[in-house]
Amino acid sequence: MKMEARRFLLLLFLLSLLSISTAATTRKIRARKPCKSMVLYFHDIIYNGKNAKNATSAIVGAPQWANRTLLAGQNHFGDLAVFDDPITLDNNLHSTPVGRAQGFYFYDKKEIFTAWLGFSFVFNSTEHKGSINFAGADPLMNKTRDISVIGGTGDFFMARGVATLMTDAFEGEVYFRLRTDIKLYECWQQV
Amino acid sequence: MKMEARRFLLLLFLLSLLSISTAATTRKIRARKPCKSMVLYFHDIIYNGKNAKNATSAIVGAPQWANRTLLAGQNHFGDLAVFDDPITLDNNLHSTPVGRAQGFYFYDKKEIFTAWLGFSFVFNSTEHKGSINFAGADPLMNKTRDISVIGGTGDFFMARGVATLMTDAFEGEVYFRLRTDIKLYECWQQV
Amino acid sequence: MKMEARRFLLLLFLLSLLSISTAATTRKIRARKPCKSMVLYFHDIIYNGKNAKNATSAIVGAPQWANRTLLAGQNHFGDLAVFDDPITLDNNLHSTPVGRAQGFYFYDKKEIFTAWLGFSFVFNSTEHKGSINFAGADPLMNKTRDISVIGGTGDFFMARGVATLMTDAFEGEVYFRLRTDIKLYECWQQV
């Protein structure tokens, strides 16, 4: 018996070492399914010199050959816009917003349309309080594009994940609507 | 005895499975308290056409209806500023800086003051070497606002957490001071 | 024997508690070595009024005292550029690109050259599909500078790590090449 007991202890010790090293050093993590999923839409109305009242975004930077009233040639390369867009649960611009998408995007390729985005979803409703922060490349000619959830606050404290963007509508050079499928793979809880 | 031994082994095995799955797949994490906390202040003096010598930030982007010398109307919507601000341990602009806050902010709402920030705290003192990177929405009319710590280097290697911003002072449209309560919930160590 | 068995169980219970608390709450993590390492180069050709065809980046924001054709005085303080740069495996601008570095940088200090970067490596080759997102301060007079890998998608799903930048070449105010040593310490796998 004494022998067996020692063997258990040894095994226990080895297993606990293994477990600590798994958790703390290799950091190869398998993601089975998101700990939280949400689908939301946001709506961007770009200022074009005539829609000051309705516009939710405006060009604030542009290359030397362009201006800040109209999107530039060469696939808008260099145009930088700041936005404060309503977030809705469905694809209707006139639905009651559940939050605001606030941030910036710029067009960054001369040959085709591509953009880069840094923004937050800011919630202040009975359902959600807090924010989700995003960053990443948006090759917007692709049907779906993945960007990163780089952090969050409040209900989304310390969140990490991936968001899939889809252009749900595009009207001239004034309005676009993005469907955002958010999948969080790290969900923290403050206790 | 043999039976009991087997039961221990089975229990051990089940527990170890549970432990691995907790660490590696569900990623629902409880945060009891920060692994590191810091309170720091940074000081922003915005260029206004007359203070070139003292200014620590400047407007570099603005909407079509505004200029880069004065903050725009409509709650500065669209104004984008780049900054290199001193960081101090207390709320005195003239204290010896312990680092520099470097990054950008822009005002992004027409109806009220809100901003969005992307920046780093860059330390190079005897106490701290390295950087902390931040991003997030700053609804600056609120007493406290949370943004994300999205990463770090050096002493703050791989850090993640939340920073709470408070406007500690605001003088005209030239100077503001932000108190920053940094709470890290992921602290890594390079070995 | 019964006593010993109980002692084992108690020990087991205590150890399992310890293990769960290590994994889930203190989050002090030891990083032994990266789970993935890559060395890549990217090449930036800044628009200067004469190189519209070859330029891969352009100034889109500048302070009031500067313009968007030439980099500003005072160590380019306030100049904000948008880029779409080729990524290569070696330091040859003319090697076949393995992806594009897309994002923005701005110069943010009056006294010396420093910059801040937000960008993505976008891969779409047989070897790699997906993107890596970066952010951080670039004190570019230093031989090496660390920025954060804040997320990733596709092959780099949920990646976190550190990238070390080195200026590999700098020609006038038109061309620079950055060597990027990427070290990921969190590698996720979608299953």
Side-chain angles (χ1 to χ4, degrees):
Chain A
M1 164 55 214
K2 279 245 155 144
M3 280 296 289
E4 250 174 291
R6 275 193 204 109
R7 244 181 281 150
F8 290 158
L9 265 179
L10 185 66
L11 186 67
L12 196 64
F13 179 68
L14 289 173
L15 264 170
S16 72
L17 271 187
L18 182 76
S19 145
I20 284 165
S21 104
T22 301
T25 67
T26 68
R27 303 290 286 177
K28 288 191 181 158
I29 304 163
R30 286 159 161 273
R32 251 170 253 280
K33 52 174 192 179
C35 43
K36 185 163 184 64
S37 297
M38 299 165 80
V39 178
L40 294 164
Y41 295 80
F42 67 102
H43 307 261
D44 194 71
I45 302 169
I46 311 154
Y47 174 72
N48 67 354
K50 296 174 227 154
N51 58 354
K53 206 174 145 63
N54 294 330
T56 63
S57 72
I59 303 173
V60 307
Q64 175 264 328
W65 59 83
N67 65 53
R68 289 167 293 166
T69 309
L70 293 173
L71 287 163
Q74 293 191 291
N75 297 292
H76 313 338
F77 176 74
D79 278 339
L80 168 71
V82 162
F83 61 91
D84 167 41
D85 293 348
I87 303 170
T88 57
L89 294 175
D90 61 18
N91 64 4
N92 188 338
L93 169 62
H94 303 292
S95 297
T96 307
V98 296
R100 305 297 293 190
Q102 299 180 326
F104 69 112
Y105 59 82
F106 51 83
Y107 293 91
D108 59 8
K109 201 173 178 69
K110 290 188 281 185
E111 295 79 14
I112 54 164
F113 284 116
T114 63
W116 201 92
L117 297 158
F119 65 102
S120 305
F121 274 9
V122 181
F123 299 98
N124 192 8
S125 66
T126 45
E127 209 182 339
H128 293 303
K129 288 203 192 320
S131 63
I132 305 177
N133 299 319
F134 304 86
D138 178 12
L140 51 89
M141 299 310 282
N142 298 356
K143 189 159 186 282
T144 66
R145 301 88 70 178
D146 285 350
I147 60 171
S148 292
V149 173
I150 58 173
T153 67
D155 291 353
F156 306 98
F157 173 70
M158 290 286 288
R160 288 228 308 138
V162 166
T164 302
L165 303 179
M166 278 162 277
T167 305
D168 199 59
F170 191 80
E171 291 169 17
E173 306 218 314
V174 173
Y175 172 74
F176 67 78
R177 178 172 68 234
L178 290 185
R179 183 188 149 119
T180 313
D181 281 30
I182 302 169
K183 290 191 168 62
L184 304 181
Y185 293 91
E186 265 196 47
C187 300
W188 290 60
Q189 207 186 339
Q190 267 180 302
V191 287
Chain B
M1 165 56 214
K2 280 243 155 145
M3 279 296 290
E4 248 174 293
R6 274 191 205 110
R7 242 181 283 151
F8 290 158
L9 265 178
L10 186 67
L11 185 66
L12 196 64
F13 178 68
L14 289 173
L15 265 170
S16 73
L17 272 186
L18 182 75
S19 145
I20 285 165
S21 102
T22 301
T25 66
T26 67
R27 304 289 288 178
K28 287 191 182 160
I29 305 163
R30 285 158 161 275
R32 251 171 253 281
K33 52 174 190 176
C35 43
K36 187 163 182 63
S37 297
M38 301 165 79
V39 177
L40 294 164
Y41 296 80
F42 67 102
H43 308 260
D44 194 72
I45 302 169
I46 310 154
Y47 175 73
N48 67 354
K50 297 175 225 155
N51 58 354
K53 206 174 145 64
N54 293 330
T56 63
S57 73
I59 303 173
V60 307
Q64 175 263 330
W65 59 83
N67 65 54
R68 289 167 292 165
T69 308
L70 293 174
L71 288 162
Q74 291 191 292
N75 297 292
H76 313 338
F77 176 75
D79 279 339
L80 168 70
V82 162
F83 61 90
D84 167 42
D85 293 347
I87 303 170
T88 57
L89 295 174
D90 60 18
N91 65 4
N92 188 338
L93 169 62
H94 303 292
S95 297
T96 308
V98 296
R100 305 298 291 191
Q102 298 180 327
F104 69 112
Y105 59 83
F106 51 84
Y107 293 91
D108 57 10
K109 201 173 178 69
K110 291 189 280 186
E111 294 79 14
I112 55 163
F113 285 117
T114 64
W116 201 93
L117 297 157
F119 66 103
S120 304
F121 275 9
V122 181
F123 299 98
N124 192 9
S125 67
T126 45
E127 209 182 339
H128 294 303
K129 289 202 193 318
S131 64
I132 305 176
N133 299 319
F134 304 86
D138 178 13
L140 52 89
M141 300 309 283
N142 298 356
K143 190 160 185 283
T144 66
R145 298 88 70 180
D146 285 350
I147 59 171
S148 292
V149 172
I150 58 173
T153 67
D155 291 355
F156 306 98
F157 173 70
M158 291 285 287
R160 288 227 309 138
V162 166
T164 302
L165 303 178
M166 278 161 277
T167 305
D168 199 57
F170 190 80
E171 290 169 16
E173 306 217 315
V174 174
Y175 173 74
F176 66 78
R177 178 171 68 234
L178 289 186
R179 182 187 149 120
T180 312
D181 281 31
I182 301 169
K183 290 190 168 62
L184 304 181
Y185 293 91
E186 265 197 45
C187 301
W188 291 60
Q189 205 185 342
Q190 267 179 303
V191 285
Chain C
M1 164 55 214
K2 279 244 155 143
M3 280 296 290
E4 250 174 289
R6 273 192 206 111
R7 244 180 282 150
F8 291 158
L9 264 179
L10 185 66
L11 186 65
L12 195 65
F13 178 68
L14 289 174
L15 265 170
S16 72
L17 271 186
L18 182 74
S19 145
I20 285 164
S21 104
T22 302
T25 66
T26 67
R27 304 287 288 177
K28 288 191 181 157
I29 304 163
R30 285 159 160 275
R32 251 170 254 279
K33 53 175 188 174
C35 43
K36 185 163 185 62
S37 296
M38 301 165 79
V39 177
L40 294 164
Y41 295 80
F42 67 101
H43 308 260
D44 194 71
I45 302 170
I46 310 155
Y47 174 72
N48 67 355
K50 297 174 225 154
N51 58 355
K53 206 174 144 66
N54 294 328
T56 63
S57 72
I59 304 172
V60 306
Q64 175 263 328
W65 58 84
N67 64 54
R68 289 167 294 166
T69 309
L70 293 174
L71 288 162
Q74 292 192 293
N75 297 292
H76 313 338
F77 176 75
D79 279 340
L80 168 70
V82 162
F83 61 91
D84 168 42
D85 293 348
I87 304 170
T88 57
L89 294 173
D90 61 17
N91 64 5
N92 187 339
L93 169 61
H94 303 293
S95 298
T96 307
V98 297
R100 305 297 292 189
Q102 299 181 326
F104 70 111
Y105 59 82
F106 52 83
Y107 294 91
D108 58 9
K109 200 174 178 67
K110 290 189 279 186
E111 295 79 15
I112 55 164
F113 285 117
T114 64
W116 201 92
L117 297 159
F119 65 103
S120 305
F121 275 8
V122 181
F123 299 97
N124 191 8
S125 67
T126 45
E127 209 182 341
H128 293 303
K129 288 203 193 318
S131 63
I132 306 176
N133 299 319
F134 303 86
D138 178 11
L140 51 89
M141 301 309 284
N142 298 355
K143 189 158 185 284
T144 65
R145 299 89 69 181
D146 285 349
I147 60 171
S148 293
V149 172
I150 57 173
T153 67
D155 291 354
F156 306 98
F157 173 70
M158 291 285 288
R160 287 228 310 136
V162 166
T164 302
L165 303 178
M166 278 162 278
T167 305
D168 199 59
F170 190 80
E171 290 169 18
E173 305 218 315
V174 174
Y175 173 74
F176 66 78
R177 178 170 69 235
L178 289 186
R179 182 188 150 119
T180 313
D181 282 30
I182 302 169
K183 290 189 169 63
L184 304 181
Y185 293 91
E186 265 197 46
C187 301
W188 291 59
Q189 206 186 339
Q190 268 179 300
V191 287

